[in-house]
Coordinates of all heavy atoms in Angstrom, one line a residue:
Y1492 N 18.2 -2.1 25.5 CA 19.2 -2.7 26.4 C 19.9 -3.9 25.7 O 19.2 -4.6 25.0 CB 18.5 -3.2 27.7 CG 17.7 -2.1 28.4 CD1 16.3 -2.0 28.3 CD2 18.4 -1.2 29.2 CE1 15.6 -1.0 28.9 CE2 17.7 -0.2 29.9 CZ 16.3 -0.1 29.7 OH 15.6 0.8 30.4
K1493 N 21.1 -4.0 25.9 CA 21.9 -5.1 25.4 C 22.3 -6.1 26.5 O 22.8 -5.6 27.6 CB 23.2 -4.6 24.7 CG 24.0 -5.7 24.1 CD 25.3 -5.1 23.5 CE 26.2 -6.2 23.0 NZ 27.4 -5.7 22.4
A1494 N 22.0 -7.3 26.3 CA 22.4 -8.3 27.3 C 23.9 -8.4 27.4 O 24.6 -8.5 26.4 CB 21.8 -9.7 27.0
D1495 N 24.4 -8.5 28.6 CA 25.9 -8.6 28.9 C 26.4 -9.9 28.4 O 27.6 -9.9 28.0 CB 26.2 -8.4 30.4 CG 25.9 -7.0 30.9 OD1 25.9 -6.1 30.0 OD2 25.7 -6.9 32.1
N1496 N 25.6 -10.9 28.3 CA 26.1 -12.2 27.9 C 26.0 -12.5 26.4 O 26.2 -13.6 25.9 CB 25.4 -13.3 28.7 CG 23.9 -13.4 28.4 OD1 23.4 -12.6 27.6 ND2 23.2 -14.3 29.0
G1497 N 25.6 -11.5 25.6 CA 25.4 -11.6 24.2 C 24.2 -12.3 23.7 O 24.1 -12.6 22.5
A1498 N 23.2 -12.5 24.6 CA 22.0 -13.2 24.3 C 21.1 -12.4 23.3 O 20.3 -13.0 22.6 CB 21.3 -13.7 25.5
G1499 N 21.2 -11.1 23.4 CA 20.4 -10.3 22.5 C 20.1 -8.9 23.1 O 20.9 -8.4 23.9
Y1500 N 18.9 -8.4 22.7 CA 18.6 -7.0 23.0 C 17.1 -6.9 23.5 O 16.3 -7.8 23.1 CB 18.8 -6.1 21.8 CG 20.2 -6.1 21.2 CD1 20.6 -7.2 20.4 CD2 21.1 -5.2 21.5 CE1 21.8 -7.2 19.8 CE2 22.4 -5.2 21.0 CZ 22.7 -6.2 20.2 OH 24.0 -6.2 19.7
V1501 N 16.8 -5.9 24.2 CA 15.4 -5.6 24.6 C 15.2 -4.1 24.2 O 15.9 -3.3 24.6 CB 15.2 -5.8 26.1 CG1 13.8 -5.4 26.5 CG2 15.4 -7.3 26.5
F1502 N 14.1 -3.9 23.5 CA 13.7 -2.6 23.1 C 12.3 -2.2 23.7 O 11.4 -3.0 23.7 CB 13.6 -2.5 21.6 CG 14.9 -2.7 20.9 CD1 15.3 -4.0 20.5 CD2 15.8 -1.7 20.7 CE1 16.5 -4.2 19.9 CE2 17.0 -1.9 20.1 CZ 17.4 -3.2 19.7
M1503 N 12.3 -1.0 24.3 CA 11.0 -0.5 24.8 C 10.5 0.5 23.7 O 11.3 1.4 23.4 CB 11.2 0.1 26.1 CG 11.6 -0.9 27.2 SD 11.8 -0.2 28.8 CE 10.1 0.2 29.2
M1504 N 9.3 0.3 23.2 CA 8.8 1.1 22.1 C 7.5 1.8 22.6 O 6.8 1.3 23.4 CB 8.5 0.2 20.9 CG 9.6 -0.7 20.5 SD 11.2 0.1 20.1 CE 10.7 0.9 18.6
A1505 N 7.3 2.9 22.0 CA 6.0 3.7 22.2 C 5.5 4.1 20.8 O 6.3 4.5 19.9 CB 6.2 4.9 23.0
T1506 N 4.2 3.9 20.6 CA 3.6 4.3 19.3 C 2.2 4.8 19.6 O 1.6 4.6 20.7 CB 3.5 3.0 18.4 OG1 3.1 3.4 17.1 CG2 2.6 1.9 18.9
K1507 N 1.6 5.5 18.6 CA 0.2 6.0 18.7 C -0.7 5.0 18.2 O -0.6 4.6 17.0 CB 0.1 7.3 18.0 CG -1.2 8.0 18.2 CD -1.3 9.3 17.5 CE -2.6 10.1 17.7 NZ -3.8 9.3 17.7
G1508 N -1.7 4.6 19.0 CA -2.7 3.7 18.6 C -4.0 4.4 18.3 O -4.0 5.7 18.2
Y1509 N -5.1 3.7 18.3 CA -6.4 4.4 18.0 C -6.8 5.3 19.2 O -7.3 6.4 19.0 CB -7.5 3.3 17.8 CG -8.8 3.9 17.5 CD1 -9.2 4.5 16.3 CD2 -9.8 3.9 18.5 CE1 -10.4 5.0 16.1 CE2 -11.1 4.5 18.3 CZ -11.4 5.0 17.1 OH -12.6 5.5 16.9
G1510 N -6.6 4.7 20.4 CA -7.1 5.4 21.6 C -6.0 6.2 22.3 O -6.3 6.9 23.3
G1511 N -4.8 6.2 21.9 CA -3.7 6.9 22.5 C -2.4 6.1 22.4 O -2.2 5.3 21.5
Q1512 N -1.5 6.4 23.3 CA -0.2 5.8 23.3 C -0.2 4.3 23.7 O -0.9 3.9 24.6 CB 0.8 6.5 24.1 CG 2.2 6.1 24.0 CD 3.2 7.0 24.8 OE1 3.1 7.0 26.0 NE2 4.1 7.6 24.1
I1513 N 0.6 3.5 22.9 CA 0.8 2.1 23.2 C 2.3 2.0 23.6 O 3.1 2.4 22.8 CB 0.4 1.2 22.0 CG1 -1.0 1.3 21.6 CG2 0.8 -0.3 22.4 CD1 -1.3 0.6 20.3
K1514 N 2.6 1.4 24.7 CA 3.9 1.1 25.1 C 4.1 -0.4 25.1 O 3.3 -1.1 25.6 CB 4.3 1.7 26.5 CG 4.3 3.2 26.5 CD 4.7 3.7 27.9 CE 4.7 5.2 27.9 NZ 5.0 5.8 29.2
L1515 N 5.2 -0.9 24.5 CA 5.5 -2.3 24.4 C 7.0 -2.6 24.6 O 7.8 -1.6 24.5 CB 4.9 -2.9 23.1 CG 5.5 -2.4 21.8 CD1 6.0 -3.5 21.0 CD2 4.5 -1.6 21.1
I1516 N 7.3 -3.8 24.9 CA 8.6 -4.2 25.0 C 8.8 -5.4 24.1 O 7.9 -6.2 23.9 CB 8.9 -4.6 26.5 CG1 10.4 -4.8 26.7 CG2 8.1 -5.8 27.0 CD1 10.8 -4.8 28.2
C1517 N 10.0 -5.4 23.4 CA 10.3 -6.5 22.5 C 11.7 -7.0 22.6 O 12.7 -6.2 22.6 CB 10.1 -5.9 21.1 SG 10.3 -7.1 19.7
G1518 N 11.8 -8.3 22.8 CA 13.1 -8.9 23.0 C 13.5 -9.5 21.6 O 12.7 -10.2 21.0
I1519 N 14.8 -9.3 21.2 CA 15.3 -9.9 20.0 C 16.6 -10.6 20.4 O 17.5 -10.0 21.0 CB 15.6 -8.8 18.9 CG1 14.2 -8.0 18.6 CG2 16.1 -9.4 17.7 CD1 14.4 -6.9 17.7
D1520 N 16.7 -11.8 20.0 CA 17.9 -12.6 20.3 C 19.1 -12.3 19.4 O 19.0 -11.5 18.5 CB 17.6 -14.1 20.4 CG 17.3 -14.8 19.1 OD1 17.6 -14.2 18.0 OD2 16.7 -15.8 19.1
A1521 N 20.2 -13.0 19.7 CA 21.5 -12.8 18.9 C 21.3 -13.2 17.5 O 22.2 -12.8 16.6 CB 22.6 -13.5 19.6
D1522 N 20.3 -14.0 17.1 CA 20.1 -14.5 15.8 C 19.1 -13.6 15.1 O 18.6 -13.9 14.0 CB 19.6 -15.9 15.7 CG 20.7 -16.9 16.3 OD1 21.9 -16.7 16.0 OD2 20.3 -17.9 16.9
D1523 N 18.8 -12.4 15.7 CA 17.8 -11.4 15.1 C 16.4 -12.0 15.0 O 15.7 -11.7 14.0 CB 18.3 -10.9 13.8 CG 19.6 -10.1 13.9 OD1 20.0 -9.8 15.0 OD2 20.2 -9.8 12.9
K1524 N 16.0 -12.8 15.9 CA 14.7 -13.4 16.0 C 14.0 -12.9 17.3 O 14.7 -12.7 18.3 CB 14.7 -14.9 16.0 CG 15.4 -15.5 14.8 CD 14.4 -15.6 13.7 CE 15.1 -16.0 12.4 NZ 15.1 -17.3 11.9
I1525 N 12.7 -12.6 17.2 CA 12.0 -12.1 18.4 C 11.8 -13.2 19.4 O 11.4 -14.3 19.0 CB 10.6 -11.5 17.9 CG1 10.8 -10.3 17.0 CG2 9.8 -11.2 19.2 CD1 9.5 -9.8 16.4
T1526 N 12.2 -12.9 20.6 CA 12.0 -13.9 21.7 C 10.6 -13.7 22.3 O 9.9 -14.6 22.6 CB 13.0 -13.8 22.8 OG1 13.0 -12.4 23.3 CG2 14.4 -14.1 22.3
S1527 N 10.2 -12.4 22.4 CA 8.9 -12.1 23.0 C 8.5 -10.6 22.8 O 9.4 -9.8 22.7 CB 8.9 -12.4 24.5 OG 7.6 -12.2 25.1
C1528 N 7.2 -10.3 22.7 CA 6.7 -9.0 22.7 C 5.6 -8.9 23.7 O 4.8 -9.9 23.8 CB 6.2 -8.6 21.3 SG 7.4 -8.3 20.0
M1529 N 5.5 -7.8 24.4 CA 4.5 -7.7 25.4 C 4.1 -6.2 25.5 O 4.9 -5.3 25.5 CB 5.0 -8.2 26.8 CG 4.0 -8.2 27.8 SD 4.5 -9.0 29.4 CE 5.6 -7.7 30.0
T1530 N 2.8 -6.0 25.6 CA 2.2 -4.7 25.8 C 2.4 -4.3 27.3 O 2.1 -5.0 28.2 CB 0.7 -4.7 25.5 OG1 0.5 -5.2 24.2 CG2 0.2 -3.3 25.6
L1531 N 3.0 -3.1 27.5 CA 3.2 -2.6 28.8 C 2.0 -1.7 29.3 O 1.6 -1.8 30.4 CB 4.5 -1.8 28.9 CG 5.8 -2.6 28.5 CD1 7.0 -1.6 28.5 CD2 6.0 -3.7 29.6
S1532 N 1.5 -0.9 28.4 CA 0.4 0.0 28.7 C -0.3 0.4 27.4 O 0.3 0.4 26.3 CB 0.8 1.2 29.5 OG 1.6 2.0 28.8
H1533 N -1.6 0.8 27.5 CA -2.3 1.2 26.3 C -3.6 1.9 26.7 O -4.0 1.8 27.9 CB -2.7 0.1 25.4 CG -3.7 -0.8 25.9 ND1 -5.1 -0.6 25.7 CD2 -3.6 -2.0 26.7 CE1 -5.8 -1.6 26.3 NE2 -4.9 -2.4 26.9
S1534 N -4.2 2.6 25.8 CA -5.5 3.3 26.0 C -6.5 2.9 24.9 O -7.3 3.7 24.6 CB -5.3 4.8 26.0 OG -4.3 5.3 26.9
E1535 N -6.3 1.7 24.4 CA -7.2 1.3 23.3 C -8.5 0.8 23.8 O -8.7 0.5 25.0 CB -6.5 0.1 22.6 CG -5.1 0.5 22.0 CD -5.1 1.7 21.2 OE1 -5.5 1.6 20.0 OE2 -4.7 2.8 21.7
T1536 N -9.5 0.8 22.9 CA -10.9 0.5 23.2 C -11.0 -1.0 23.8 O -10.4 -1.9 23.1 CB -11.8 0.6 22.0 OG1 -11.6 1.9 21.4 CG2 -13.2 0.3 22.3
Q1537 N -11.6 -1.1 24.9 CA -11.8 -2.5 25.5 C -12.6 -3.3 24.5 O -13.6 -2.9 24.0 CB -12.5 -2.4 26.9 CG -11.6 -1.8 27.9 CD -10.3 -2.6 28.2 OE1 -10.3 -3.8 28.1 NE2 -9.2 -1.9 28.5
G1538 N -12.1 -4.6 24.4 CA -12.8 -5.5 23.5 C -12.4 -5.4 22.0 O -12.7 -6.4 21.3
L1539 N -11.8 -4.3 21.6 CA -11.4 -4.2 20.2 C -9.9 -4.0 20.2 O -9.1 -4.9 20.0 CB -12.2 -3.0 19.5 CG -13.7 -3.3 19.3 CD1 -14.3 -2.0 18.8 CD2 -13.9 -4.4 18.4
G1540 N -9.5 -2.7 20.3 CA -8.1 -2.4 20.3 C -7.3 -3.1 21.4 O -6.1 -3.4 21.2
S1541 N -7.9 -3.4 22.5 CA -7.3 -4.0 23.6 C -6.8 -5.5 23.3 O -6.1 -6.1 24.0 CB -8.1 -4.0 24.8 OG -9.3 -4.8 24.7
K1542 N -7.3 -6.0 22.1 CA -6.9 -7.3 21.7 C -5.4 -7.5 21.5 O -4.8 -8.5 21.4 CB -7.6 -7.8 20.4 CG -9.1 -8.0 20.7 CD -9.8 -8.4 19.4 CE -11.3 -8.7 19.7 NZ -12.0 -9.1 18.5
I1543 N -4.7 -6.3 21.3 CA -3.3 -6.3 21.2 C -2.6 -6.9 22.4 O -1.4 -7.3 22.4 CB -2.7 -4.9 20.9 CG1 -3.0 -3.9 22.0 CG2 -3.2 -4.5 19.5 CD1 -2.3 -2.6 21.9
T1544 N -3.3 -6.9 23.5 CA -2.7 -7.4 24.8 C -2.9 -8.9 25.0 O -2.4 -9.5 25.9 CB -3.3 -6.7 26.0 OG1 -4.7 -7.0 26.1 CG2 -3.1 -5.2 25.9
E1545 N -3.7 -9.5 24.1 CA -4.0 -10.9 24.3 C -2.8 -11.8 23.8 O -2.1 -11.5 22.8 CB -5.3 -11.3 23.5 CG -6.5 -10.6 24.0 CD -7.8 -10.9 23.2 OE1 -7.7 -11.6 22.2 OE2 -8.8 -10.3 23.6
A1546 N -2.7 -12.9 24.5 CA -1.5 -13.8 24.2 C -1.5 -14.2 22.8 O -0.4 -14.3 22.2 CB -1.6 -15.0 25.2
G1547 N -2.7 -14.5 22.2 CA -2.7 -14.9 20.8 C -2.1 -14.0 19.8 O -1.4 -14.4 18.9
F1548 N -2.2 -12.7 20.1 CA -1.6 -11.7 19.2 C -0.1 -11.5 19.5 O 0.7 -11.6 18.6 CB -2.3 -10.3 19.3 CG -1.7 -9.3 18.4 CD1 -1.8 -9.3 17.0 CD2 -1.1 -8.2 19.0 CE1 -1.3 -8.4 16.2 CE2 -0.5 -7.2 18.1 CZ -0.6 -7.3 16.8
E1549 N 0.2 -11.4 20.8 CA 1.6 -11.2 21.2 C 2.5 -12.4 20.8 O 3.6 -12.2 20.4 CB 1.7 -10.9 22.7 CG 1.1 -9.5 23.0 CD 1.1 -9.2 24.5 OE1 1.1 -10.1 25.3 OE2 1.1 -8.0 24.8
E1550 N 1.9 -13.6 20.9 CA 2.7 -14.8 20.5 C 3.0 -14.9 19.1 O 3.9 -15.6 18.7 CB 1.9 -16.0 21.0 CG 1.9 -16.1 22.5 CD 1.0 -17.2 23.0 OE1 0.3 -17.9 22.2 OE2 0.9 -17.4 24.3
L1551 N 2.2 -14.2 18.2 CA 2.5 -14.2 16.8 C 3.9 -13.8 16.4 O 4.5 -14.2 15.4 CB 1.5 -13.3 16.0 CG 0.1 -13.7 15.9 CD1 -0.8 -12.6 15.2 CD2 -0.1 -15.0 15.1
F1552 N 4.5 -12.9 17.3 CA 5.8 -12.3 17.0 C 6.9 -13.3 17.4 O 8.0 -13.1 16.8 CB 5.9 -11.0 17.8 CG 4.9 -10.0 17.3 CD1 3.7 -9.8 17.8 CD2 5.3 -9.1 16.2 CE1 2.8 -8.9 17.4 CE2 4.4 -8.2 15.8 CZ 3.1 -8.1 16.4
S1553 N 6.7 -14.2 18.3 CA 7.8 -15.0 18.8 C 8.4 -15.8 17.6 O 7.7 -16.4 16.8 CB 7.3 -16.0 19.8 OG 7.0 -15.3 21.0
G1554 N 9.8 -15.8 17.5 CA 10.5 -16.5 16.5 C 10.6 -15.8 15.1 O 11.2 -16.3 14.2
K1555 N 9.9 -14.7 15.0 CA 9.9 -14.0 13.7 C 11.2 -13.1 13.5 O 11.7 -12.6 14.5 CB 8.7 -13.0 13.6 CG 7.4 -13.7 13.7 CD 7.1 -14.6 12.6 CE 5.7 -15.2 12.8 NZ 5.4 -16.3 11.9
D1556 N 11.6 -12.9 12.3 CA 12.7 -12.0 12.0 C 12.1 -10.7 11.6 O 10.9 -10.5 11.7 CB 13.6 -12.6 10.9 CG 12.9 -12.9 9.6 OD1 11.8 -12.4 9.4 OD2 13.5 -13.6 8.8
E1557 N 12.9 -9.8 11.0 CA 12.4 -8.5 10.7 C 11.3 -8.4 9.6 O 10.6 -7.4 9.5 CB 13.6 -7.6 10.2 CG 14.3 -8.1 8.9 CD 15.5 -7.3 8.6 OE1 15.5 -6.0 8.7 OE2 16.5 -7.9 8.2
T1558 N 11.1 -9.5 8.9 CA 10.1 -9.5 7.9 C 8.7 -9.6 8.5 O 7.7 -9.3 7.9 CB 10.2 -10.7 6.9 OG1 10.1 -11.9 7.6 CG2 11.6 -10.6 6.2
L1559 N 8.6 -10.2 9.7 CA 7.4 -10.4 10.5 C 6.4 -11.2 9.6 O 5.2 -11.0 9.7 CB 6.7 -9.1 10.9 CG 7.6 -8.2 11.9 CD1 6.8 -7.0 12.3 CD2 8.0 -9.0 13.1
E1560 N 6.9 -12.1 8.8 CA 6.1 -12.9 7.9 C 5.0 -13.7 8.8 O 5.4 -14.3 9.8 CB 6.9 -13.9 7.1 CG 6.1 -14.7 6.1 CD 7.0 -15.6 5.3 OE1 8.2 -15.2 5.0 OE2 6.6 -16.6 4.9
G1561 N 3.8 -13.6 8.4 CA 2.7 -14.3 9.1 C 2.0 -13.5 10.2 O 1.1 -13.9 10.8
V1562 N 2.5 -12.3 10.4 CA 1.9 -11.4 11.4 C 1.0 -10.5 10.7 O 1.4 -9.7 9.9 CB 2.9 -10.6 12.2 CG1 2.2 -9.7 13.2 CG2 3.9 -11.6 13.0
D1563 N -0.3 -10.5 11.0 CA -1.3 -9.7 10.4 C -2.0 -8.8 11.4 O -2.0 -9.2 12.6 CB -2.3 -10.5 9.6 CG -1.7 -11.2 8.4 OD1 -1.0 -10.6 7.7 OD2 -2.0 -12.4 8.2
T1564 N -2.7 -7.8 10.9 CA -3.5 -7.0 11.8 C -4.7 -7.8 12.3 O -5.1 -8.8 11.7 CB -4.0 -5.7 11.1 OG1 -4.8 -6.1 9.9 CG2 -2.8 -4.8 10.7
I1565 N -5.3 -7.3 13.4 CA -6.5 -7.9 14.0 C -7.8 -7.3 13.4 O -7.9 -6.0 13.4 CB -6.5 -7.7 15.5 CG1 -5.3 -8.3 16.1 CG2 -7.8 -8.3 16.1 CD1 -5.1 -7.9 17.6
S1566 N -8.7 -8.1 12.9 CA -9.9 -7.6 12.3 C -10.7 -6.8 13.4 O -10.9 -7.3 14.5 CB -10.7 -8.7 11.8 OG -12.0 -8.3 11.3
G1567 N -11.1 -5.6 13.1 CA -11.9 -4.8 14.1 C -10.9 -4.0 15.0 O -11.4 -3.1 15.7
A1568 N -9.6 -4.2 14.9 CA -8.7 -3.5 15.7 C -7.5 -3.2 14.8 O -6.3 -3.3 15.2 CB -8.2 -4.3 16.9
T1569 N -7.8 -2.8 13.6 CA -6.7 -2.6 12.5 C -5.7 -1.5 12.9 O -4.5 -1.7 12.8 CB -7.4 -2.3 11.2 OG1 -8.3 -3.3 10.9 CG2 -6.3 -2.2 10.1
I1570 N -6.2 -0.4 13.4 CA -5.3 0.7 13.7 C -4.4 0.4 14.9 O -3.2 0.5 14.8 CB -6.1 2.0 14.0 CG1 -6.8 2.5 12.8 CG2 -5.2 3.1 14.6 CD1 -7.8 3.7 13.0
S1571 N -5.0 -0.2 15.9 CA -4.2 -0.6 17.1 C -3.1 -1.6 16.7 O -2.0 -1.5 17.1 CB -5.1 -1.2 18.2 OG -6.1 -0.2 18.5
S1572 N -3.6 -2.7 16.0 CA -2.6 -3.8 15.7 C -1.6 -3.3 14.7 O -0.4 -3.7 14.8 CB -3.4 -5.0 15.3 OG -4.2 -4.8 14.2
A1573 N -2.0 -2.5 13.7 CA -1.0 -2.0 12.8 C 0.0 -1.1 13.4 O 1.2 -1.2 13.1 CB -1.7 -1.2 11.7
S1574 N -0.4 -0.3 14.4 CA 0.5 0.5 15.2 C 1.5 -0.4 15.9 O 2.7 -0.1 16.0 CB -0.2 1.4 16.1 OG -1.0 2.3 15.4
Y1575 N 1.0 -1.4 16.5 CA 1.9 -2.4 17.3 C 2.9 -3.0 16.4 O 4.1 -3.1 16.7 CB 1.0 -3.4 17.9 CG 1.6 -4.3 19.0 CD1 1.3 -4.0 20.3 CD2 2.4 -5.3 18.7 CE1 1.8 -4.8 21.3 CE2 3.0 -6.1 19.7 CZ 2.7 -5.8 21.0 OH 3.2 -6.6 22.0
I1576 N 2.4 -3.5 15.2 CA 3.3 -4.1 14.2 C 4.4 -3.1 13.8 O 5.6 -3.5 13.7 CB 2.5 -4.7 13.0 CG1 1.7 -5.9 13.5 CG2 3.4 -5.0 11.9 CD1 0.6 -6.3 12.5
N1577 N 4.0 -1.9 13.5 CA 5.0 -0.9 13.1 C 6.0 -0.6 14.2 O 7.2 -0.4 13.9 CB 4.3 0.4 12.6 CG 3.6 0.2 11.3 OD1 4.0 -0.6 10.5 ND2 2.6 1.0 11.1
A1578 N 5.6 -0.6 15.4 CA 6.5 -0.4 16.6 C 7.5 -1.6 16.6 O 8.7 -1.3 16.9 CB 5.8 -0.3 17.9
V1579 N 7.1 -2.8 16.4 CA 8.0 -3.9 16.3 C 9.0 -3.8 15.2 O 10.2 -4.0 15.3 CB 7.3 -5.3 16.3 CG1 8.2 -6.4 16.1 CG2 6.4 -5.4 17.6
K1580 N 8.5 -3.3 14.0 CA 9.4 -3.0 12.9 C 10.5 -2.0 13.3 O 11.6 -2.1 12.9 CB 8.6 -2.6 11.7 CG 7.8 -3.7 11.0 CD 7.0 -3.2 9.8 CE 6.2 -4.4 9.2 NZ 5.4 -3.9 8.1
E1581 N 10.0 -1.0 14.0 CA 11.0 0.0 14.5 C 12.0 -0.5 15.4 O 13.2 -0.1 15.5 CB 10.2 1.2 15.1 CG 9.5 2.0 14.1 CD 8.6 3.1 14.8 OE1 8.7 3.3 16.0 OE2 7.9 3.8 14.0
A1582 N 11.7 -1.6 16.2 CA 12.6 -2.2 17.1 C 13.8 -2.9 16.2 O 14.9 -2.8 16.6 CB 12.0 -3.3 17.9
F1583 N 13.4 -3.4 15.1 CA 14.4 -4.0 14.2 C 15.3 -2.9 13.6 O 16.5 -3.1 13.3 CB 13.8 -4.9 13.1 CG 13.5 -6.3 13.6 CD1 12.2 -6.6 13.9 CD2 14.5 -7.2 13.7 CE1 11.9 -7.9 14.4 CE2 14.2 -8.5 14.2 CZ 12.9 -8.8 14.5
E1584 N 14.7 -1.7 13.3 CA 15.4 -0.6 12.8 C 16.4 -0.1 13.8 O 17.6 0.1 13.5 CB 14.5 0.6 12.4 CG 13.7 0.3 11.1 CD 12.7 1.4 10.8 OE1 12.8 2.5 11.4 OE2 11.7 1.1 10.1
A1585 N 16.0 -0.1 15.1 CA 16.9 0.3 16.2 C 18.0 -0.7 16.4 O 19.1 -0.4 16.6 CB 16.1 0.4 17.5
L1586 N 17.6 -2.0 16.2 CA 18.6 -3.1 16.3 C 19.7 -2.9 15.3 O 20.9 -3.0 15.5 CB 18.0 -4.4 16.1 CG 18.9 -5.6 16.1 CD1 19.6 -5.8 17.4 CD2 18.1 -6.9 15.7
S1587 N 19.3 -2.6 14.1 CA 20.3 -2.3 13.0 C 21.2 -1.2 13.3 O 22.4 -1.2 13.1 CB 19.5 -2.0 11.7 OG 20.4 -1.8 10.6
L1588 N 20.7 -0.1 13.9 CA 21.5 1.1 14.3 C 22.5 0.7 15.4 O 23.6 1.1 15.4 CB 20.6 2.2 14.7 CG 19.8 2.9 13.6 CD1 18.8 3.9 14.1 CD2 20.6 3.5 12.5
V1589 N 22.0 -0.1 16.3 CA 22.8 -0.5 17.5 C 24.0 -1.3 17.0 O 25.1 -1.1 17.4 CB 22.0 -1.2 18.5 CG1 22.9 -1.9 19.6 CG2 21.0 -0.3 19.2
K1590 N 23.7 -2.2 16.1 CA 24.7 -3.1 15.6 C 25.8 -2.4 14.7 O 26.9 -2.7 14.7 CB 24.1 -4.3 14.8 CG 23.5 -5.3 15.7 CD 23.0 -6.5 14.9 CE 22.6 -7.6 15.8 NZ 22.4 -8.9 15.1
E1591 N 25.3 -1.4 14.0 CA 26.2 -0.5 13.2 C 27.2 0.2 14.1 O 28.4 0.4 13.8 CB 25.5 0.5 12.3 CG 24.8 -0.1 11.1 CD 24.0 0.9 10.3 OE1 24.2 2.1 10.6 OE2 23.2 0.5 9.5
A1592 N 26.7 0.6 15.3 CA 27.5 1.4 16.2 C 28.5 0.6 17.0 O 29.4 1.2 17.6 CB 26.6 2.2 17.1
E1593 N 28.3 -0.7 17.0 CA 29.2 -1.6 17.8 C 30.5 -1.8 17.2 O 30.7 -1.7 16.1 CB 28.5 -2.9 18.1 CG 27.3 -2.8 18.9 CD 26.6 -4.1 19.2 OE1 26.7 -5.1 18.4 OE2 25.9 -4.2 20.2

C-alpha cells in the first residue's frame, strides 16, 4: 500500500518459517527507512521461533535501510528469524519495483 500523502509504503509479506507460514507487515517511509515491522501470524515453536513476535526483535528493524545493518538472527530460532529477515529484504525489493513503476 502507498500512503496518499507520500509518507511511505506498507508491505504485507508471507514467508515459510520453521513451523509454517509467517505473515508480517512492514512500513517503509519516504526516505526508504523502516518505520515498523510486526508479526501478524505464525506457527513457530512457542518459546523459540515465537521470539520473532517479541518487541526486542521487531524493534531491531526500526530506522534500518535495505542493508538491515545490525539485524541478526535469534540464537535458538535461526530458521524463524532468518525467514523473517528475508521477508523484510523482500519488502525492499518490492519497494524498488513499485518505485520503478511510478
Side-chain angles (χ1 to χ4, degrees):
Y1492 302 102
K1493 179 181 178 184
D1495 292 336
N1496 64 1
Y1500 303 82
V1501 175
F1502 296 93
M1503 295 180 71
M1504 312 299 291
T1506 187
K1507 185 179 182 324
Y1509 179 79
Q1512 189 175 60
I1513 300 169
K1514 292 183 180 179
L1515 61 129
I1516 191 165
C1517 183
I1519 302 175
D1520 67 19
D1522 295 323
D1523 296 348
K1524 302 278 170 100
I1525 296 173
T1526 56
S1527 180
C1528 289
M1529 186 173 74
T1530 306
L1531 300 174
S1532 66
H1533 71 89
S1534 301
E1535 302 307 282
T1536 307
Q1537 289 300 324
L1539 293 174
S1541 66
K1542 290 180 180 181
I1543 61 171
T1544 65
E1545 295 177 1
F1548 180 68
E1549 292 177 335
E1550 290 170 358
L1551 290 175
F1552 294 90
S1553 293
K1555 302 293 184 192
D1556 61 14
E1557 65 184 317
T1558 65
L1559 299 181
E1560 186 176 330
V1562 177
D1563 292 317
T1564 58
I1565 301 169
S1566 180
T1569 307
I1570 294 172
S1571 304
S1572 55
S1574 295
Y1575 195 103
I1576 291 166
N1577 287 332
V1579 174
K1580 288 179 180 178
E1581 289 176 4
F1583 278 103
E1584 291 174 18
L1586 175 65
S1587 179
L1588 293 172
V1589 168
K1590 286 188 169 188
E1591 284 178 17
E1593 293 180 334

